[in-house]
């Protein structure tokens, strides 16, 4: 581990591809509590979202405080409206693929949609430990620019992140 001190390791049930990040965080909080350490809030900053900035994290904490929120989660605007999406029929017919209410409307007139981008989650510890659905009571979005919302899940995402890092002053993102 290259000299890094690790206070404890994950148990085997939380060390697989199906383990929930929140179950891991809950486990860590319980282990710290056994060591006499408790926290008011916890932030989950996934390593697959490397373009968020310190300013974004600080803004998330500010929103958490200002709104007396239980949780803040970062989101970004989606590139394409989900209103233009559907599941193809078995024969790939386009009949009824698009909602007839939006046919002919310019995309700019459609409502904006956002997605969770995985960059920042800040949550009150007490709330995390008592609920199974963290997106309900007093949970709010922190809108982050799409350029900072790369979530590296595959090689293309990695290439895009690499290009943005090389071509952009991260302080101005």
């Amino acid at each position: 581990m290259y000299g890094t001190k690790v206070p404890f390791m994950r148990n085997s049930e939380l060390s697989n591809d199906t383990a929930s990040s929140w179950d891991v965080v809950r486990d860590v909080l319980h282990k710290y509590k056994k060591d006499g350490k408790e926290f008011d809030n916890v932030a989950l900053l996934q390593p697959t979202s490397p373009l968020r900035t310190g300013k974004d994290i600080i803004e998330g904490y500010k929103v958490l405080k200002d709104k007396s929120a239980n949780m803040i989660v970062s989101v970004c605007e989606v590139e394409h409206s989900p209103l233009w999406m559907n599941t193809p029929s078995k024969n790939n017919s386009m009949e009824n693929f698009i909602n007839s209410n939006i046919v002919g409307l310019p995309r700019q007139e459609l409502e904006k949609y956002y997605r969770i981008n995985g960059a920042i989650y800040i949550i009150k510890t007490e709330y995390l430990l008592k609920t199974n659905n963290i997106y309900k009571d007093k949970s709010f979005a922190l809108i982050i620019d799409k350029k900072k919302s790369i979530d590296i899940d595959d090689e293309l995402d990695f290439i895009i992140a690499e290009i943005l890092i090389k071509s952009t002053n991260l302080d101005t993102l």
Side-chain angles (χ1 to χ4, degrees), residues 21-81:
S21 294
W22 292 115
D23 288 340
V24 173
V25 172
R26 285 181 185 98
D27 186 57
V28 167
L29 290 169
H30 290 303
K31 287 178 179 176
Y32 271 118
K33 187 173 185 172
K34 284 181 185 176
D35 288 344
K37 297 177 183 173
E38 295 189 55
F39 306 94
D40 294 332
N41 305 303
V42 63
L44 175 60
L45 306 172
Q46 298 180 124
T48 54
S49 301
L51 299 180
R52 73 177 157 257
T53 65
K55 289 177 186 174
D56 296 322
I57 298 166
I58 291 167
E59 181 63 21
Y61 273 103
K62 182 180 181 306
V63 172
L64 185 81
K65 181 182 175 195
D66 291 350
K67 291 191 173 284
S68 297
N70 285 322
M71 185 180 82
I72 300 299
V73 59
S74 59
V75 300
C76 65
E77 188 176 341
V78 295
E79 184 177 34
H80 301 288
S81 171

Side-chain angles (χ1 to χ4, degrees), residues 60 81-82 98 100 113 124 127 132 136 139 148 155 160 171:
S81 171
I98 301 295
S100 61
Y113 282 81
K124 287 185 177 177
Y127 180 67
N132 288 326
K136 285 182 92 172
S139 295
K148 295 191 276 186
E155 186 177 1
I160 293 168
D171 292 332

Side-chain angles (χ1 to χ4, degrees), residues 91-158:
N91 70 355
N92 289 335
S93 169
M94 290 299 291
E95 187 175 344
N96 296 318
F97 187 85
I98 301 295
N99 180 325
S100 61
N101 293 332
I102 67 162
V103 172
L105 285 178
R107 67 176 170 79
Q108 295 86 346
E109 289 185 26
L110 297 177
E111 188 174 352
K112 289 182 181 181
Y113 282 81
Y114 294 80
R115 68 171 175 84
I116 295 173
N117 63 13
I120 300 171
Y121 299 86
I122 304 171
I123 188 166
K124 287 185 177 177
T125 303
E126 181 182 346
Y127 180 67
L128 174 62
L129 294 175
K130 74 177 183 182
T131 186
N132 288 326
N133 185 349
I134 59 175
Y135 300 99
K136 285 182 92 172
D137 186 38
K138 295 174 73 178
S139 295
F140 295 93
L142 173 67
I143 299 173
I144 294 182
D145 188 279
K146 201 164 40 170
K147 284 190 283 187
K148 295 191 276 186
S149 298
I150 297 295
D151 187 8
I152 302 174
D153 289 326
D154 57 31
E155 186 177 1
L156 179 61
D157 295 337
F158 185 86

